[in-house]
Coordinates of all heavy atoms in Angstrom, one line a residue:
I1 N 10.6 -7.6 9.2 CA 10.7 -6.4 8.3 C 11.1 -6.9 6.9 O 12.0 -7.7 6.7 CB 11.9 -5.5 8.9 CG1 11.5 -5.1 10.3 CG2 12.1 -4.4 7.9 CD1 12.7 -4.4 11.0
K2 N 10.3 -6.4 6.0 CA 10.5 -6.8 4.6 C 11.6 -5.9 4.0 O 11.8 -4.8 4.4 CB 9.2 -6.7 3.8 CG 8.1 -7.6 4.2 CD 7.4 -8.1 3.0 CE 6.4 -9.1 3.4 NZ 6.6 -10.4 2.9
P3 N 12.4 -6.5 3.0 CA 13.4 -5.7 2.4 C 12.8 -4.6 1.5 O 11.8 -4.7 1.0 CB 14.2 -6.7 1.6 CG 13.3 -7.8 1.4 CD 12.4 -7.9 2.5
A4 N 13.6 -3.5 1.4 CA 13.2 -2.4 0.5 C 13.6 -2.7 -0.9 O 14.8 -2.7 -1.2 CB 13.8 -1.1 1.0
L5 N 12.7 -3.1 -1.8 CA 13.0 -3.4 -3.2 C 12.3 -2.4 -4.0 O 11.1 -2.5 -4.3 CB 12.4 -4.8 -3.5 CG 12.9 -6.0 -2.6 CD1 12.1 -7.2 -2.8 CD2 14.4 -6.2 -2.9
L6 N 13.1 -1.4 -4.5 CA 12.5 -0.3 -5.2 C 11.8 -0.8 -6.5 O 10.7 -0.3 -6.9 CB 13.5 0.8 -5.5 CG 14.1 1.5 -4.3 CD1 15.0 2.6 -4.7 CD2 12.9 2.1 -3.5
G7 N 12.4 -1.7 -7.3 CA 11.9 -2.1 -8.5 C 10.5 -2.8 -8.3 O 9.5 -2.5 -9.0
A8 N 10.4 -3.7 -7.3 CA 9.2 -4.3 -7.0 C 8.1 -3.4 -6.5 O 7.0 -3.4 -6.9 CB 9.4 -5.5 -6.0
N9 N 8.5 -2.5 -5.6 CA 7.5 -1.5 -5.0 C 7.0 -0.5 -6.1 O 5.8 -0.3 -6.1 CB 8.2 -0.8 -3.9 CG 8.4 -1.7 -2.7 OD1 7.9 -2.7 -2.6 ND2 9.3 -1.2 -1.8
I10 N 7.9 0.0 -6.9 CA 7.5 1.0 -7.9 C 6.7 0.3 -9.0 O 5.6 0.8 -9.4 CB 8.7 1.7 -8.5 CG1 9.3 2.6 -7.4 CG2 8.3 2.5 -9.7 CD1 10.6 3.3 -7.8
G11 N 7.1 -0.9 -9.4 CA 6.4 -1.6 -10.5 C 5.0 -2.0 -10.0 O 4.0 -1.8 -10.7
G12 N 5.0 -2.6 -8.8 CA 3.7 -3.0 -8.2 C 2.7 -1.8 -8.0 O 1.5 -1.9 -8.2
G13 N 3.3 -0.7 -7.5 CA 2.5 0.5 -7.3 C 1.9 1.0 -8.6 O 0.7 1.5 -8.7
L14 N 2.7 1.0 -9.7 CA 2.2 1.5 -11.0 C 1.1 0.5 -11.5 O 0.1 1.0 -12.0 CB 3.4 1.5 -12.0 CG 4.3 2.7 -11.8 CD1 5.5 2.6 -12.7 CD2 3.6 4.0 -12.0
I15 N 1.3 -0.8 -11.4 CA 0.3 -1.7 -11.9 C -1.0 -1.5 -11.1 O -2.1 -1.5 -11.6 CB 0.8 -3.2 -11.8 CG1 1.9 -3.3 -12.8 CG2 -0.3 -4.2 -12.0 CD1 2.7 -4.6 -12.7
F16 N -0.9 -1.4 -9.8 CA -2.0 -1.3 -8.9 C -2.7 0.0 -9.2 O -4.0 0.1 -9.3 CB -1.5 -1.3 -7.4 CG -2.7 -1.2 -6.4 CD1 -3.3 -2.4 -6.1 CD2 -3.0 -0.1 -5.8 CE1 -4.4 -2.4 -5.2 CE2 -4.1 0.0 -4.9 CZ -4.7 -1.2 -4.6
G17 N -2.0 1.1 -9.4 CA -2.6 2.4 -9.7 C -3.3 2.4 -11.1 O -4.4 3.0 -11.2
V18 N -2.7 1.8 -12.1 CA -3.4 1.7 -13.4 C -4.6 0.9 -13.3 O -5.7 1.2 -13.9 CB -2.4 1.2 -14.5 CG1 -3.1 0.8 -15.7 CG2 -1.3 2.2 -14.7
G19 N -4.6 -0.2 -12.5 CA -5.8 -1.0 -12.4 C -6.9 -0.3 -11.7 O -8.0 -0.3 -12.1
M20 N -6.5 0.5 -10.7 CA -7.6 1.3 -10.0 C -8.1 2.4 -10.9 O -9.3 2.7 -10.9 CB -7.0 2.0 -8.7 CG -6.9 1.1 -7.6 SD -6.3 1.9 -6.1 CE -7.3 3.3 -5.9
L21 N -7.2 3.0 -11.7 CA -7.7 4.0 -12.7 C -8.6 3.4 -13.7 O -9.7 4.0 -14.0 CB -6.4 4.6 -13.4 CG -6.7 5.7 -14.5 CD1 -7.1 6.9 -13.8 CD2 -5.5 5.9 -15.3
L22 N -8.3 2.3 -14.3 CA -9.2 1.7 -15.3 C -10.5 1.2 -14.7 O -11.5 1.3 -15.3 CB -8.5 0.5 -15.9 CG -7.3 0.9 -16.8 CD1 -6.5 -0.4 -17.3 CD2 -7.7 1.7 -18.0
L23 N -10.5 0.7 -13.5 CA -11.6 0.1 -12.8 C -12.5 1.2 -12.2 O -13.7 1.1 -12.2 CB -11.2 -1.0 -11.8 CG -12.3 -1.6 -11.0 CD1 -13.3 -2.4 -11.9 CD2 -11.7 -2.6 -10.0
G24 N -11.9 2.1 -11.6 CA -12.6 3.1 -10.8 C -12.9 2.7 -9.4 O -13.7 3.4 -8.7
F25 N -12.3 1.6 -8.9 CA -12.5 1.1 -7.6 C -11.1 0.7 -7.1 O -10.2 0.3 -7.8 CB -13.3 -0.2 -7.5 CG -14.7 -0.1 -7.9 CD1 -15.2 -0.7 -9.0 CD2 -15.6 0.6 -7.1 CE1 -16.6 -0.6 -9.3 CE2 -16.9 0.7 -7.4 CZ -17.4 0.1 -8.5
C26 N -10.9 0.8 -5.7 CA -9.8 0.1 -5.1 C -10.4 -1.3 -4.7 O -11.6 -1.5 -4.7 CB -9.2 0.9 -4.0 SG -10.2 0.9 -2.5
P27 N -9.5 -2.2 -4.3 CA -10.1 -3.5 -4.0 C -11.1 -3.5 -2.9 O -12.1 -4.3 -3.0 CB -8.8 -4.3 -3.6 CG -7.7 -3.7 -4.3 CD -8.1 -2.2 -4.4
G28 N -10.9 -2.7 -1.9 CA -11.9 -2.7 -0.8 C -13.3 -2.1 -1.3 O -14.3 -2.7 -0.9
T29 N -13.3 -1.0 -2.0 CA -14.5 -0.5 -2.5 C -15.1 -1.4 -3.6 O -16.4 -1.4 -3.8 CB -14.4 0.9 -3.0 OG1 -13.4 1.0 -4.0 CG2 -14.1 1.9 -1.9
C30 N -14.3 -2.2 -4.2 CA -14.8 -3.2 -5.2 C -15.7 -4.2 -4.5 O -16.8 -4.5 -4.9 CB -13.6 -3.8 -5.9 SG -14.1 -5.1 -7.1
A31 N -15.2 -4.7 -3.4 CA -15.9 -5.7 -2.6 C -17.2 -5.0 -2.0 O -18.3 -5.7 -2.0 CB -15.1 -6.2 -1.4
A32 N -17.1 -3.7 -1.6 CA -18.3 -3.0 -1.1 C -19.4 -2.9 -2.3 O -20.6 -3.0 -2.0 CB -18.0 -1.7 -0.6
A33 N -18.9 -2.6 -3.5 CA -19.8 -2.4 -4.6 C -20.5 -3.8 -4.9 O -21.7 -3.8 -5.3 CB -19.0 -2.0 -5.8
I34 N -19.8 -4.9 -4.8 CA -20.4 -6.2 -5.0 C -21.5 -6.4 -4.0 O -22.6 -6.8 -4.3 CB -19.4 -7.3 -4.9 CG1 -18.4 -7.2 -6.1 CG2 -20.0 -8.7 -5.0 CD1 -17.1 -8.1 -5.9
G35 N -21.2 -6.0 -2.7 CA -22.2 -6.2 -1.7 C -23.4 -5.3 -1.9 O -24.5 -5.6 -1.5
D36 N -23.2 -4.2 -2.6 CA -24.3 -3.2 -2.9 C -25.0 -3.7 -4.2 O -26.0 -3.1 -4.5 CB -23.7 -1.8 -3.2 CG -24.7 -0.8 -3.2 OD1 -25.7 -0.8 -2.4 OD2 -24.5 0.2 -4.0
G37 N -24.6 -4.8 -4.8 CA -25.3 -5.3 -6.0 C -24.8 -4.7 -7.3 O -25.5 -4.9 -8.3
R38 N -23.7 -4.0 -7.3 CA -23.2 -3.4 -8.6 C -22.4 -4.4 -9.3 O -21.4 -4.9 -8.9 CB -22.4 -2.2 -8.3 CG -23.3 -1.1 -7.6 CD -22.6 0.1 -7.2 NE -21.9 0.7 -8.4 CZ -21.0 1.7 -8.2 NH1 -20.8 2.2 -7.1 NH2 -20.5 2.2 -9.3
L39 N -22.8 -4.8 -10.5 CA -22.1 -5.8 -11.3 C -20.8 -5.4 -11.8 O -19.9 -6.3 -12.1 CB -23.0 -6.3 -12.4 CG -24.3 -7.0 -12.0 CD1 -25.1 -7.4 -13.2 CD2 -24.0 -8.2 -11.1
D40 N -20.5 -4.1 -12.0 CA -19.2 -3.7 -12.5 C -18.1 -4.0 -11.5 O -17.0 -4.4 -11.9 CB -19.2 -2.2 -12.9 CG -19.6 -1.3 -11.7 OD1 -20.2 -1.8 -10.7 OD2 -19.3 -0.1 -11.8
G41 N -18.5 -4.0 -10.2 CA -17.5 -4.4 -9.2 C -17.2 -5.9 -9.3 O -16.1 -6.3 -9.0
L42 N -18.2 -6.6 -9.6 CA -18.1 -8.1 -9.7 C -17.3 -8.5 -10.9 O -16.2 -9.1 -10.8 CB -19.4 -8.8 -9.7 CG -19.4 -10.3 -9.9 CD1 -18.7 -10.9 -8.7 CD2 -20.8 -10.8 -10.0
W43 N -17.7 -8.0 -12.1 CA -17.1 -8.5 -13.3 C -15.8 -7.9 -13.6 O -14.8 -8.6 -13.8 CB -18.0 -8.3 -14.5 CG -19.3 -9.1 -14.4 CD1 -20.6 -8.7 -14.2 CD2 -19.3 -10.6 -14.3 NE1 -21.4 -9.7 -14.1 CE2 -20.7 -10.9 -14.1 CE3 -18.4 -11.6 -14.4 CZ2 -21.1 -12.2 -14.0 CZ3 -18.8 -12.9 -14.3 CH2 -20.2 -13.2 -14.1
R44 N -15.7 -6.6 -13.5 CA -14.4 -6.0 -13.8 C -13.4 -6.1 -12.6 O -12.3 -6.3 -12.8 CB -14.6 -4.5 -14.1 CG -15.2 -4.3 -15.5 CD -15.3 -2.9 -15.9 NE -15.8 -2.0 -14.8 CZ -15.9 -0.7 -14.8 NH1 -15.4 -0.1 -15.9 NH2 -16.4 0.0 -13.8
G45 N -14.0 -5.9 -11.4 CA -13.1 -5.9 -10.2 C -12.6 -7.2 -9.8 O -11.4 -7.5 -9.8
V46 N -13.5 -8.2 -9.6 CA -13.0 -9.5 -9.1 C -12.3 -10.2 -10.3 O -11.3 -10.8 -10.1 CB -14.2 -10.3 -8.6 CG1 -13.8 -11.8 -8.3 CG2 -14.8 -9.7 -7.4
A47 N -12.8 -10.1 -11.5 CA -12.2 -10.7 -12.6 C -10.8 -10.1 -12.8 O -9.8 -10.8 -13.0 CB -13.0 -10.5 -13.9
G48 N -10.6 -8.8 -12.7 CA -9.3 -8.1 -12.8 C -8.4 -8.6 -11.7 O -7.2 -8.8 -12.0
I49 N -8.9 -8.7 -10.5 CA -8.0 -9.2 -9.4 C -7.6 -10.6 -9.6 O -6.4 -10.9 -9.5 CB -8.8 -9.1 -8.0 CG1 -9.0 -7.6 -7.7 CG2 -8.1 -9.8 -6.9 CD1 -10.0 -7.4 -6.5
L50 N -8.5 -11.5 -10.1 CA -8.1 -12.9 -10.3 C -7.2 -13.0 -11.5 O -6.2 -13.8 -11.4 CB -9.4 -13.7 -10.5 CG -10.2 -13.9 -9.3 CD1 -11.5 -14.6 -9.6 CD2 -9.5 -14.6 -8.2
V51 N -7.4 -12.3 -12.6 CA -6.5 -12.4 -13.8 C -5.2 -11.8 -13.4 O -4.1 -12.4 -13.8 CB -7.2 -11.6 -15.0 CG1 -6.1 -11.4 -16.1 CG2 -8.4 -12.4 -15.5
G52 N -5.1 -10.7 -12.7 CA -3.9 -10.1 -12.3 C -3.1 -11.0 -11.4 O -1.8 -11.1 -11.6
A53 N -3.7 -11.6 -10.4 CA -3.0 -12.5 -9.5 C -2.5 -13.7 -10.3 O -1.4 -14.2 -10.0 CB -3.9 -13.0 -8.4
G54 N -3.3 -14.2 -11.2 CA -2.9 -15.4 -12.0 C -1.7 -15.0 -12.9 O -0.7 -15.8 -13.0
L55 N -1.7 -13.9 -13.6 CA -0.6 -13.5 -14.4 C 0.7 -13.3 -13.6 O 1.8 -13.7 -14.0 CB -0.9 -12.2 -15.2 CG -1.9 -12.3 -16.3 CD1 -2.3 -11.0 -16.9 CD2 -1.3 -13.2 -17.4
Y56 N 0.5 -12.6 -12.4 CA 1.7 -12.4 -11.6 C 2.3 -13.8 -11.1 O 3.5 -13.9 -11.1 CB 1.4 -11.6 -10.3 CG 2.5 -11.4 -9.5 CD1 3.5 -10.4 -9.8 CD2 2.7 -12.1 -8.3 CE1 4.6 -10.2 -9.0 CE2 3.8 -11.9 -7.5 CZ 4.8 -11.0 -7.8 OH 5.9 -10.8 -7.1
S57 N 1.5 -14.7 -10.8 CA 2.0 -16.0 -10.3 C 2.7 -16.7 -11.4 O 3.6 -17.5 -11.2 CB 0.9 -16.9 -9.7 OG -0.1 -17.3 -10.7
E58 N 2.2 -16.5 -12.7 CA 2.9 -17.2 -13.8 C 4.2 -16.5 -14.1 O 5.2 -17.2 -14.5 CB 2.0 -17.1 -15.1 CG 0.8 -18.1 -15.0 CD 1.2 -19.5 -14.9 OE1 2.2 -19.9 -15.6 OE2 0.6 -20.3 -14.1
F59 N 4.3 -15.2 -14.0 CA 5.5 -14.5 -14.4 C 6.5 -14.3 -13.3 O 7.7 -13.9 -13.5 CB 5.2 -13.1 -15.0 CG 4.7 -13.2 -16.4 CD1 3.3 -13.0 -16.6 CD2 5.5 -13.4 -17.5 CE1 2.8 -13.1 -17.9 CE2 5.0 -13.5 -18.7 CZ 3.7 -13.4 -19.0
H60 N 6.1 -14.6 -12.0 CA 7.0 -14.4 -10.8 C 8.3 -15.1 -10.9 O 9.3 -14.5 -10.6 CB 6.2 -14.8 -9.6 CG 7.0 -14.5 -8.3 ND1 7.8 -15.5 -7.7 CD2 7.2 -13.4 -7.6 CE1 8.4 -14.9 -6.7 NE2 8.0 -13.7 -6.6
P61 N 8.4 -16.3 -11.4 CA 9.7 -17.0 -11.5 C 10.7 -16.3 -12.4 O 11.9 -16.2 -12.1 CB 9.4 -18.4 -12.0 CG 8.0 -18.6 -11.6 CD 7.3 -17.3 -11.7
Y62 N 10.2 -15.6 -13.4 CA 11.0 -14.9 -14.4 C 11.4 -13.6 -13.9 O 12.5 -13.1 -14.2 CB 10.3 -14.8 -15.7 CG 9.8 -16.1 -16.3 CD1 8.5 -16.4 -16.4 CD2 10.7 -17.0 -16.9 CE1 8.0 -17.6 -16.9 CE2 10.3 -18.2 -17.4 CZ 9.0 -18.5 -17.4 OH 8.5 -19.7 -17.9
L63 N 10.6 -13.0 -13.0 CA 10.9 -11.6 -12.5 C 11.7 -11.7 -11.2 O 12.4 -10.7 -10.9 CB 9.6 -10.9 -12.2 CG 8.6 -10.7 -13.4 CD1 7.3 -10.1 -12.9 CD2 9.3 -9.7 -14.4
Q64 N 11.7 -12.8 -10.5 CA 12.3 -12.9 -9.2 C 13.8 -12.6 -9.2 O 14.2 -11.9 -8.3 CB 12.0 -14.3 -8.6 CG 12.3 -14.5 -7.2 CD 11.9 -15.8 -6.6 OE1 11.6 -16.7 -7.4 NE2 11.9 -15.9 -5.3
G65 N 14.5 -13.1 -10.1 CA 16.0 -12.9 -10.1 C 16.4 -11.6 -10.7 O 17.5 -11.1 -10.4
G66 N 15.5 -10.9 -11.5 CA 15.9 -9.7 -12.2 C 15.2 -8.5 -11.7 O 15.7 -7.8 -10.7
F67 N 14.1 -8.2 -12.3 CA 13.4 -6.9 -12.0 C 13.0 -6.8 -10.6 O 13.1 -5.7 -10.0 CB 12.1 -6.9 -12.9 CG 11.3 -5.6 -12.7 CD1 11.8 -4.4 -13.2 CD2 10.1 -5.7 -12.0 CE1 11.0 -3.3 -13.0 CE2 9.4 -4.5 -11.8 CZ 9.9 -3.3 -12.3
L68 N 12.6 -7.8 -9.9 CA 12.1 -7.7 -8.5 C 13.3 -7.4 -7.5 O 13.1 -7.1 -6.4 CB 11.4 -8.9 -8.1 CG 10.0 -9.2 -8.8 CD1 9.4 -10.4 -8.3 CD2 9.1 -8.0 -8.7
K69 N 14.5 -7.6 -8.0 CA 15.7 -7.3 -7.1 C 16.3 -6.0 -7.4 O 17.3 -5.6 -6.8 CB 16.7 -8.4 -7.3 CG 16.3 -9.8 -6.8 CD 16.2 -9.8 -5.3 CE 15.9 -11.2 -4.8 NZ 15.7 -11.2 -3.4
V70 N 15.8 -5.2 -8.4 CA 16.3 -3.9 -8.7 C 16.1 -3.0 -7.5 O 15.0 -2.9 -6.9 CB 15.6 -3.3 -9.9 CG1 16.0 -1.8 -10.1 CG2 15.9 -4.1 -11.1
G71 N 17.2 -2.3 -7.1 CA 17.1 -1.4 -5.9 C 16.9 -2.1 -4.6 O 16.2 -1.6 -3.7
D72 N 17.6 -3.2 -4.4 CA 17.4 -4.0 -3.2 C 18.3 -3.3 -2.1 O 19.5 -3.4 -2.1 CB 17.9 -5.4 -3.4 CG 17.7 -6.3 -2.2 OD1 17.3 -5.8 -1.1 OD2 17.9 -7.5 -2.3
Y73 N 17.7 -2.7 -1.1 CA 18.4 -2.0 -0.1 C 18.4 -2.8 1.2 O 18.8 -2.3 2.3 CB 17.8 -0.6 0.2 CG 18.2 0.4 -0.9 CD1 17.3 0.6 -1.9 CD2 19.4 0.9 -1.0 CE1 17.6 1.5 -3.0 CE2 19.8 1.8 -2.0 CZ 18.9 2.1 -3.0 OH 19.2 2.9 -4.0
G74 N 17.8 -4.0 1.2 CA 17.8 -4.8 2.4 C 16.7 -4.3 3.3 O 15.8 -3.6 3.0
K75 N 16.7 -4.7 4.6 CA 15.7 -4.4 5.6 C 16.0 -3.0 6.2 O 16.9 -2.9 7.1 CB 15.6 -5.5 6.6 CG 15.2 -6.8 6.0 CD 15.1 -7.9 7.0 CE 14.6 -9.2 6.4 NZ 14.4 -10.3 7.4
L76 N 15.3 -2.0 5.8 CA 15.5 -0.7 6.3 C 14.5 -0.3 7.4 O 13.3 -0.6 7.2 CB 15.5 0.4 5.2 CG 16.5 0.2 4.1 CD1 16.2 1.3 3.0 CD2 17.9 0.3 4.6
T77 N 14.9 0.4 8.4 CA 14.0 1.0 9.4 C 14.4 2.4 9.6 O 15.5 2.8 9.4 CB 14.0 0.2 10.7 OG1 15.3 0.4 11.3 CG2 13.6 -1.2 10.5
I78 N 13.4 3.3 10.0 CA 13.8 4.7 10.3 C 14.8 4.8 11.5 O 15.8 5.5 11.3 CB 12.5 5.5 10.6 CG1 11.6 5.5 9.3 CG2 12.8 6.9 11.1 CD1 10.3 6.2 9.5
P79 N 14.6 4.0 12.6 CA 15.6 4.1 13.6 C 17.0 3.6 13.1 O 18.0 4.2 13.5 CB 15.1 3.2 14.7 CG 13.6 3.1 14.5 CD 13.4 3.2 13.0
G80 N 17.0 2.6 12.2 CA 18.3 2.1 11.7 C 19.0 3.1 10.8 O 20.2 3.3 10.9
L81 N 18.2 3.9 10.0 CA 18.7 4.9 9.2 C 19.3 6.1 10.0 O 20.3 6.7 9.7 CB 17.7 5.4 8.2 CG 17.3 4.5 7.1 CD1 16.1 5.0 6.3 CD2 18.5 4.2 6.2
L82 N 18.6 6.4 11.1 CA 19.0 7.5 12.0 C 20.0 7.1 13.0 O 20.7 7.9 13.6 CB 17.8 8.1 12.7 CG 16.7 8.7 11.8 CD1 15.5 9.1 12.7 CD2 17.2 9.9 11.0
G83 N 20.2 5.8 13.2 CA 21.2 5.3 14.1 C 20.8 5.5 15.6 O 21.6 5.8 16.4
V84 N 19.5 5.4 15.9 CA 19.0 5.7 17.2 C 18.2 4.4 17.7 O 17.8 3.6 16.9 CB 18.1 6.9 17.3 CG1 18.9 8.2 16.9 CG2 16.9 6.8 16.4
N85 N 17.9 4.4 19.0 CA 17.0 3.4 19.5 C 15.6 3.6 18.9 O 15.2 4.7 18.7 CB 17.0 3.6 21.1 CG 16.2 2.6 21.8 OD1 15.1 2.2 21.4 ND2 16.7 2.1 22.9
P86 N 14.8 2.5 18.7 CA 13.5 2.7 18.2 C 12.6 3.6 19.0 O 11.8 4.3 18.4 CB 12.9 1.3 18.2 CG 14.1 0.4 18.1 CD 15.2 1.1 18.8
W87 N 12.8 3.7 20.3 CA 12.0 4.6 21.1 C 12.3 6.0 20.9 O 11.5 6.9 21.1 CB 12.1 4.2 22.6 CG 11.4 3.0 22.9 CD1 12.0 1.8 23.2 CD2 10.0 2.8 23.0 NE1 11.0 0.8 23.4 CE2 9.8 1.4 23.3 CE3 8.9 3.6 22.9 CZ2 8.5 0.8 23.4 CZ3 7.6 3.0 23.0 CH2 7.5 1.7 23.3
G88 N 13.5 6.3 20.3 CA 13.9 7.6 19.9 C 13.0 8.1 18.7 O 13.0 9.3 18.4
V89 N 12.4 7.2 18.0 CA 11.5 7.6 16.9 C 10.1 7.5 17.4 O 9.2 8.3 17.1 CB 11.8 6.7 15.7 CG1 10.8 6.9 14.6 CG2 13.2 6.9 15.1
I90 N 9.7 6.4 18.1 CA 8.4 6.2 18.5 C 7.9 7.3 19.4 O 6.8 7.8 19.2 CB 8.2 4.8 19.2 CG1 8.5 3.7 18.3 CG2 6.9 4.7 19.9 CD1 8.7 2.3 19.0
G91 N 8.7 7.7 20.4 CA 8.2 8.8 21.3 C 7.9 10.1 20.6 O 6.8 10.6 20.8
P92 N 8.8 10.6 19.8 CA 8.4 11.9 19.1 C 7.2 11.7 18.1 O 6.4 12.7 18.0 CB 9.7 12.2 18.3 CG 10.8 11.6 19.1 CD 10.2 10.3 19.6
V93 N 7.1 10.6 17.5 CA 5.9 10.4 16.6 C 4.6 10.4 17.4 O 3.6 11.0 17.0 CB 6.1 9.1 15.7 CG1 4.8 8.7 15.0 CG2 7.2 9.3 14.7
V94 N 4.6 9.7 18.5 CA 3.4 9.6 19.4 C 3.1 11.0 19.9 O 1.9 11.4 19.9 CB 3.6 8.6 20.5 CG1 2.5 8.8 21.6 CG2 3.6 7.2 20.0
L95 N 4.1 11.8 20.3 CA 3.8 13.1 20.8 C 3.3 14.0 19.7 O 2.4 14.8 19.9 CB 5.1 13.7 21.5 CG 5.5 13.1 22.8 CD1 6.9 13.6 23.2 CD2 4.5 13.3 23.8
A96 N 3.9 13.9 18.5 CA 3.5 14.8 17.4 C 2.1 14.4 17.0 O 1.2 15.3 16.8 CB 4.4 14.6 16.2
F97 N 1.8 13.2 16.9 CA 0.4 12.7 16.5 C -0.6 13.1 17.5 O -1.7 13.6 17.2 CB 0.4 11.2 16.2 CG -0.9 10.7 15.6 CD1 -1.2 11.1 14.3 CD2 -1.7 9.9 16.3 CE1 -2.4 10.7 13.7 CE2 -2.9 9.5 15.8 CZ -3.3 9.9 14.5
G98 N -0.2 12.9 18.8 CA -1.1 13.3 19.9 C -1.4 14.8 19.9 O -2.5 15.2 20.1
G99 N -0.3 15.6 19.7 CA -0.5 17.0 19.7 C -1.4 17.4 18.5 O -2.2 18.3 18.6
F100 N -1.2 16.8 17.4 CA -2.0 17.1 16.2 C -3.5 16.8 16.5 O -4.4 17.6 16.1 CB -1.6 16.3 15.0 CG -2.5 16.4 13.8 CD1 -2.5 17.6 13.1 CD2 -3.3 15.3 13.4 CE1 -3.4 17.7 12.0 CE2 -4.2 15.4 12.4 CZ -4.2 16.6 11.6
L101 N -3.8 15.7 17.2 CA -5.2 15.3 17.5 C -5.8 16.3 18.5 O -6.9 16.7 18.4 CB -5.2 13.9 18.0 CG -5.0 12.8 17.0 CD1 -5.0 11.4 17.7 CD2 -6.0 12.8 15.9
V102 N -5.0 16.8 19.5 CA -5.5 17.8 20.4 C -5.8 19.1 19.7 O -6.8 19.7 19.9 CB -4.5 18.0 21.6 CG1 -4.8 19.2 22.4 CG2 -4.4 16.8 22.4
W103 N -4.9 19.5 18.8 CA -5.1 20.7 18.0 C -6.3 20.6 17.1 O -7.1 21.5 17.0 CB -3.8 21.0 17.1 CG -4.1 22.1 16.2 CD1 -3.9 23.4 16.4 CD2 -4.4 22.0 14.8 NE1 -4.2 24.1 15.3 CE2 -4.5 23.3 14.3 CE3 -4.7 20.9 14.0 CZ2 -4.9 23.5 13.0 CZ3 -5.0 21.1 12.7 CH2 -5.1 22.4 12.2
L104 N -6.5 19.4 16.5 CA -7.6 19.2 15.6 C -8.9 19.2 16.4 O -9.9 19.7 15.9 CB -7.4 17.8 14.9 CG -8.4 17.5 13.7 CD1 -8.1 18.5 12.6 CD2 -8.1 16.1 13.2
D105 N -8.9 18.7 17.6 CA -10.1 18.6 18.4 C -10.5 20.1 18.8 O -11.7 20.3 18.9 CB -9.8 17.8 19.7 CG -11.1 17.6 20.5 OD1 -12.1 17.2 19.9 OD2 -11.0 17.8 21.7
K106 N -9.6 20.9 19.0 CA -9.9 22.3 19.3 C -10.3 23.1 18.1 O -11.1 24.0 18.2 CB -8.7 23.0 20.0 CG -8.5 22.4 21.4 CD -7.3 23.1 22.1 CE -7.0 22.4 23.4 NZ -5.9 23.0 24.1
K107 N -9.7 22.8 17.0 CA -9.9 23.5 15.7 C -11.3 23.2 15.1 O -11.9 24.1 14.6 CB -8.8 23.2 14.8 CG -8.8 24.0 13.5 CD -8.3 25.4 13.8 CE -8.1 26.1 12.4 NZ -8.1 27.5 12.6
V108 N -11.6 21.9 15.0 CA -12.8 21.5 14.3 C -14.0 21.5 15.3 O -13.9 20.8 16.3 CB -12.6 20.1 13.7 CG1 -13.9 19.6 13.0 CG2 -11.4 20.1 12.7
P109 N -15.1 22.2 15.0 CA -16.2 22.1 15.9 C -16.9 20.8 15.9 O -16.8 20.0 14.9 CB -17.2 23.2 15.3 CG -16.8 23.3 13.9 CD -15.3 23.0 13.8
D110 N -17.6 20.5 17.0 CA -18.3 19.2 17.1 C -19.4 19.1 16.0 O -20.1 20.1 15.7 CB -19.0 19.1 18.5 CG -18.0 18.9 19.6 OD1 -16.9 18.4 19.2 OD2 -18.3 19.2 20.7
A111 N -19.5 17.9 15.5 CA -20.5 17.7 14.4 C -21.9 17.5 15.0 O -22.1 17.0 16.0 CB -20.1 16.6 13.5

């Protein structure tokens, strides 16, 4: 279980979101676009991924002790927050999801 680091999660999400906004692709569809022969996926997408990874690896030592530790709540789990056995969460989630799928199967006509 990874620790809940709000600074790192929010910062990373914002950077990822801005990158997707500027590129028009998420990393998975960027790879699919390359396979389809679209050069914008290759040049902007792969280049952006490589430049971003390189910049992060360069700045990581400076961010590690400060910004990346903002909002460090440690290793959180839903059962831990509720103070119950993990099966006390897994069971209701499985039943709710299964019930939703049964409802959806009845609601949506066959294609």
Side-chain angles (χ1 to χ4, degrees):
I1 299 171
K2 295 221 176 239
L5 302 168
L6 293 184
N9 291 341
I10 292 170
L14 287 172
I15 291 169
F16 186 80
V18 168
M20 279 183 50
L21 178 72
L22 293 173
L23 178 61
F25 293 114
C26 75
T29 56
C30 177
I34 294 167
D36 193 36
R38 296 177 57 189
L39 293 179
D40 57 343
L42 176 64
W43 295 116
R44 291 186 309 175
V46 173
I49 290 169
L50 293 175
V51 168
L55 286 173
Y56 180 78
S57 67
E58 287 297 319
F59 285 104
H60 183 265
Y62 304 108
L63 299 172
Q64 191 173 13
F67 179 74
L68 295 180
K69 292 292 183 184
V70 171
D72 185 356
Y73 287 99
K75 297 179 178 183
L76 298 178
T77 63
I78 294 173
L81 290 172
L82 297 176
V84 298
N85 184 316
W87 288 104
V89 174
I90 294 169
V93 168
V94 167
L95 290 174
F97 189 68
F100 172 73
L101 290 176
V102 168
W103 173 82
L104 191 64
D105 187 47
K106 291 179 181 179
K107 184 78 172 161
V108 178
D110 290 336

